[in-house]
């Protein structure tokens, strides 16, 4: 991925630093801590979320012109911890009342409690707006937002596999194998999303639209990776995946309808059609066997499983609110593209 | 030596949800038409309201919510 355009002191510092050969940089920790301190909310702060995505990218796609050795730089590792701990703390504070409210019910029957949370998820329906009212431009914006997550679909949660054993491991491998197409590239969900972008006349390169995607959307991506890459957060990772899968079938049916209503065709709709059926399977396996099985092995993880579910629902609702608020005033929900990037792709 | 050639089919009944079927090859639809099961585990609709029958599409959740809402007095769902 190309190094993105900075959005503040932290991302600016990183973009300059990472172009250099790997070296110590004792200032980075302070720069990260200051960015966290000055953010009104780290879940929606452009500089914090982009900075976090950049350091996480060192463990995923890598960055063009950046030495892979930066991944293990103690200063980068430390800054990443500063950012992720701040994100985790804010998420925990936001959902704490809802976690406590459902905990007793979840102890009796984890699966029923998780489905109760995801079925009653509040917040505006982005998919409902797309299905009924959205313009072609709005649908394209939606596809651009989702491109950050969907072109690397499933990867965040895959980090959990080697930390599991027994029934929850079998469940997660079954679901992730389906996410990756079961051995068939054309069925891999990330690949199908690239096809959707192409059919819509958009660029399928991962990160191509990063400079236009706001923090409220980046937070969906950075949080999944943050959960998945920490063993301590294995309960939250399982819960987060449950949140994703159990709120997917019906919204994707609506988006598929929007894609056809706006004339993008069956090829562009295939990704969304696939998710209607696939995620009706995945939600059962993830909620009952992954989350249920994990809590059976380690009952102390229940609270974190619920935390993961609610974190997913919260960030989804925030992203939908931001997008719909922009559209309601006739604005774009994306950040303005830098002038020198215009026309870079035909 | 043929005991492993066809792994046994497993059907899991999900409370308030679909039937999960592992190892299905083909489902025969209402009109007798064969429908390929194109993933290792499929979810068969049990509520009768799926728009993607015979597969589950999550619609049972709407029915459950309607049942749970005391203000909506509609006919029985089942």
């Amino acid at each position: 991925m190309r190094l993105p355009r900075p959005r503040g002191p932290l991302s600016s510092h990183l973009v300059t630093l990472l172009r250099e050969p790997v070296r110590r940089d004792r200032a980075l920790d302070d720069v990260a801590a200051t960015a966290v301190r000055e953010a009104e909310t780290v879940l929606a702060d452009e500089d914090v979320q982009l900075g976090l995505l950049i350091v996480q990218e060192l463990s995923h796609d890598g960055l063009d012109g950046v030495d892979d050795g930066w991944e293990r730089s103690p200063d980068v590792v430390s800054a990443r911890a500063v950012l992720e701990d701040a994100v985790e703390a804010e998420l925990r504070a936001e959902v704490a009342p809802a976690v406590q409210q459902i905990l007793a019910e979840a102890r009796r029957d984890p699966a029923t409690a998780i489905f109760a949370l995801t079925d009653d998820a509040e917040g505006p329906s982005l998919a409902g707006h797309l299905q009924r009212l959205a313009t072609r431009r709005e649908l394209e914006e939606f596809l651009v937002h989702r491109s950050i997550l969907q072109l690397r679909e499933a990867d965040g949660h895959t980090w959990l596999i080697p930390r599991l054993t027994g029934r929850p491991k079998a469940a997660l491998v079954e679901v992730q194998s389906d996410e990756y197409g079961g051995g068939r590239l054309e069925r891999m969900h990330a690949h199908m999303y690239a096809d959707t972008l192409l059919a819509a006349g958009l660029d399928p390169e991962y990160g191509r639209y990063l400079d236009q995607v706001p923090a409220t959307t980046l937070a969906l991506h950075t949080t999944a990776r943050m959960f998945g890459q920490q063993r301590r957060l294995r309960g939250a990772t399982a819960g987060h995946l449950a949140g994703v899968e159990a709120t997917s079938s019906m919204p994707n049916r609506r988006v598929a309808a929007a894609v056809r209503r706006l004339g993008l065709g069956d090829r562009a709709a295939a990704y969304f059609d696939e998710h209607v059926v696939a995620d009706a399977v995945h939600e059962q396996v993830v909620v009952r066997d992954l989350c249920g099985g994990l809590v059976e092995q380690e009952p102390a993880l229940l609270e974190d499983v619920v935390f993961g579910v609610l974190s997913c629902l919260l960030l989804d609702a925030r992203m939908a609110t931001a997008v719909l608020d922009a559209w309601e005033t006739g604005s774009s929900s994306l950040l303005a593209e830098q002038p020198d990037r215009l026309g870079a792709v035909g | 030596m043929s005991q492993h050639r066809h792994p046994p089919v497993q059907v899991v009944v999900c409370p308030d949800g679909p039937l999960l079927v592992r190892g299905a090859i083909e489902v025969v639809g209402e009109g007798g038409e064969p429908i390929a099961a194109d993933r290792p585990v499929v979810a068969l609709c049990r509520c009768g309201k799926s728009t993607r029958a015979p597969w589950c599409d999550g619609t049972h959740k709407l029915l459950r919510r309607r049942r749970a809402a005391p203000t909506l007095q509609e006919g029985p769902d089942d």
Side-chain angles (χ1 to χ4, degrees):
Chain A
M1 190 169 87
R2 280 178 294 189
L3 277 165
R5 171 163 47 116
R7 300 182 191 178
L10 170 63
S11 46
S12 187
H13 188 98
L14 281 167
V15 162
T16 307
L17 178 68
L18 296 179
R19 285 198 180 98
E20 298 175 27
V22 181
R23 62 169 176 83
R24 294 307 304 259
D25 176 50
R26 297 182 195 280
L28 180 57
D29 221 43
D30 268 352
V31 175
T34 304
V36 163
R37 203 168 47 242
E38 293 186 352
E40 196 177 317
T41 154
V42 290
L43 303 179
D45 186 86
E46 297 296 342
D47 196 30
V48 167
Q49 285 296 329
L50 183 65
L52 180 52
L53 186 133
I54 290 170
V55 292
Q56 288 182 342
E57 214 56 60
L58 293 167
S59 303
H60 294 83
D61 272 57
L63 294 153
D64 297 349
V66 172
D67 189 326
D68 284 338
W70 276 112
E71 181 186 8
R72 299 261 284 179
S73 143
D75 303 307
V76 167
V77 170
S78 172
R80 179 171 173 176
V82 166
L83 300 174
E84 291 187 340
D85 289 354
V87 167
E88 182 187 340
E90 191 173 315
L91 277 172
R92 286 196 187 273
E94 288 279 357
V95 304
V99 170
Q100 292 311 316
Q101 206 179 343
I102 195 84
L103 209 50
E105 191 186 331
R107 282 207 181 88
R108 283 192 299 275
D109 182 349
T112 302
I114 292 171
F115 278 127
L117 289 177
T118 53
D119 290 2
D120 296 341
E122 287 171 10
S125 173
L126 190 49
H129 174 86
L130 289 167
Q131 179 182 18
R132 292 188 304 274
L133 301 165
T135 62
R136 166 88 184 227
R137 182 186 61 80
E138 289 172 345
L139 177 62
E140 285 173 5
E141 284 190 16
F142 173 78
L143 296 177
V144 166
H145 278 280
R146 302 300 303 195
S147 70
I148 297 298
L149 207 57
Q150 261 56 66
L151 289 171
R152 291 296 176 267
E153 189 164 333
D155 290 349
H157 302 102
T158 299
W159 292 104
L160 178 60
I161 294 173
R163 302 194 178 105
L164 300 174
T165 58
R167 179 179 157 215
K169 186 176 208 163
L172 182 56
V173 170
E174 181 173 64
V175 167
Q176 296 304 86
S177 170
D178 210 34
E179 291 282 337
Y180 293 124
R184 286 178 290 170
L185 174 62
E186 74 279 7
R187 296 289 302 269
M188 187 187 289
H189 289 178
H191 191 84
M192 293 180 77
Y193 198 79
D195 259 356
T196 292
L197 291 174
L198 280 172
L202 295 164
D203 192 323
E205 181 196 332
Y206 173 66
R208 161 66 181 82
Y209 297 109
L210 176 57
D211 287 341
Q212 293 172 263
V213 175
T216 41
T217 301
L218 298 184
L220 306 181
H221 197 32
T222 56
T223 300
R225 288 172 161 186
M226 170 186 96
F227 284 162
Q229 282 203 286
Q230 294 182 65
R231 174 184 149 74
R232 178 179 61 85
L233 295 174
R234 59 201 182 281
T237 310
H240 187 274
L241 182 58
V244 171
E245 299 288 358
T247 56
S248 176
S249 284
M250 282 185 284
N252 277 303
R253 196 169 78 213
R254 297 194 172 106
V255 178
V259 167
R260 292 196 168 88
R261 176 174 66 79
L262 291 163
L264 268 63
D266 288 344
R267 187 178 152 213
Y271 169 89
F272 302 102
D273 289 335
E274 158 70 8
H275 281 74
V276 175
V277 176
D279 292 350
V281 176
H282 295 177
E283 66 180 358
Q284 298 296 336
V285 178
V286 168
V287 170
R288 296 180 194 286
D289 296 321
L290 172 60
C291 294
L294 184 60
V295 166
E296 210 173 276
Q297 290 175 347
E298 296 188 79
L301 292 182
L302 177 69
E303 191 164 341
D304 260 14
V305 169
V306 174
F307 162 60
V309 174
L310 287 164
S311 297
C312 175
L313 301 181
L314 175 82
L315 294 172
D316 273 349
R318 295 259 169 101
M319 181 247 181
T321 302
V323 170
L324 289 170
D325 282 356
W327 289 347
E328 200 172 329
T329 62
S331 319
S332 169
S333 63
L334 298 170
L335 305 177
E337 196 168 13
Q338 194 166 335
D340 66 11
R341 286 273 176 85
L342 278 178
V345 169
Chain B
M1 296 301 288
S2 64
Q3 67 269 35
H4 294 305
R5 226 175 25 175
H6 301 293
V9 173
Q10 181 192 48
V11 181
V12 180
V13 182
C14 299
D16 255 331
L19 296 175
L20 284 188
V21 185
R22 290 190 172 84
I25 295 164
E26 186 178 280
V27 174
V28 178
E30 285 183 359
E33 72 284 9
I35 303 162
D38 61 354
R39 64 184 74 246
V41 52
V42 295
L44 289 175
C45 170
R46 214 152 58 102
C47 74
K49 305 290 185 197
S50 174
T51 62
R52 309 288 162 115
W55 315 126
C56 169
D57 72 348
T59 299
H60 58 269
K61 297 176 181 195
L62 295 175
L63 306 180
R64 189 167 60 213
R65 201 179 307 165
R66 210 186 304 162
R67 275 202 304 272
T71 50
L72 284 174
Q73 295 297 325
E74 297 184 24
D77 293 316
D78 302 315

